[in-house]
Amino acid sequence: MQKRKFEYLDAMRVFATIMVIIIHCIYEYMWDFSNKGTALWTSLVFVNELLRTGVPLFFMMSGYLLLQKDITDIKGFYKKRFLKIAVPFIFYDIFYYILNCIIYNSEISFLQFLKELCDKGSAYHLWFVYSILFIYLLMPFLRMIVSKCSAKMLTLFLALSVFQTTIRPFFNILFDGKFRFYLTDDGLMGYLGYVILGYLMGSFDFSKTTQRIIYALALISFVVFPFWNIQTIDTTGDFFFNGGYTINHYIEAAAVFLFFKNHIHKSGKFISKLSAVSFSAYLIHVAVLQVTQLFDFGTSVGIKMVIWSVIVIVVSFMWGFVENLFFHRKALTKN
């Protein structure tokens, strides 16, 4: 029964992984603002709004799963999480460093590798691993906070996160340097906000009215904020509401989480297996994309990005199955 309770999280984890992969497949075209005004570019800005829920969902799932029970054995908790995350990360970071040296014809340097390892790793998507590992370090303390706080107090914590990550910087843009709020520029509050949001969304039942409000706000958000970004790109030079933890992504990620919780009651064995290898698929997908982008396929850029997305998703998850099979057999041999 306990496993069935979390089955919707398997589907959500697969969904989040696919969203992140597609983001990287469309990234170069969408962030080339010379494409602004074309139908494809405009469409991708709106599609991107849904894709951006991927990373928040990862933080939310971690918050929901890890903050439910007291963490009494902190050493054991750290050991389990870091072995599960840090060990494969180190392997892939070495892999990406060597791959980049080959691609860019650079000399392999242990010192350079260490510099990159201490920064954000040797591939652009590895930043997430650093962030989630730091969140794991905080989890035992967050659990103590959660256990002592009511739902209203945790909602206030979430509101503080939204203020820090969206309202404060938005005010600074509106005042255009004439008046500035600082508080702190640390993005950690954004990640913690998602962790608490995931705990709230997963642990509490919401009334039908509250659910309708969340869905309605999300639908409005999916339309209004991409439109805002498109209209303001010429003056700001950036998508303000494309940030990883601006208020639109809190709302949209909450709605997606709620949808999976309410409607995915049984995910099935295949989805469960995909979920089990999703971290491996996440780690390898950038390398798969680099190889896939070498092929033009002789078609329009829109179709090409669709082809890239399908290939990268399929190959990355297949790699995950192969990797899982190899290590599983290795473990069985040792036993």
Side-chain angles (χ1 to χ4, degrees), residues 29-30 32-45 230-231 233-234 239:
Y29 183 87
M30 200 190 80
D32 182 353
F33 294 145
S34 66
N35 296 315
K36 181 182 182 294
T38 64
L40 177 60
W41 185 86
T42 302
S43 300
L44 289 179
V45 173
I230 291 172
Q231 295 302 310
I233 187 65
D234 290 332
F239 291 143

Side-chain angles (χ1 to χ4, degrees), residues 59 126-137 188 191:
F59 286 110
L126 296 179
W127 71 268
F128 171 76
V129 182
Y130 290 81
S131 300
I132 200 67
L133 285 175
F134 191 73
I135 292 295
Y136 286 160
L137 286 174
L188 178 63
Y191 304 139

Side-chain angles (χ1 to χ4, degrees), residues 143-194:
R143 171 56 197 169
M144 294 178 186
I145 294 174
V146 166
S147 65
K148 299 296 182 180
C149 290
S150 65
K152 289 184 177 180
M153 294 173 69
L154 292 176
T155 302
L156 175 60
F157 184 101
L158 181 60
L160 290 173
S161 298
V162 173
F163 174 82
Q164 167 60 19
T165 59
T166 300
I167 299 175
R168 180 193 62 83
F170 185 62
F171 278 163
N172 289 339
I173 288 179
L174 288 180
F175 287 113
D176 194 25
K178 297 176 182 177
F179 189 85
R180 176 174 170 79
F181 291 98
Y182 176 68
L183 192 59
T184 175
D185 282 333
D186 188 356
L188 178 63
M189 278 298 291
Y191 304 139
L192 294 181
Y194 284 130

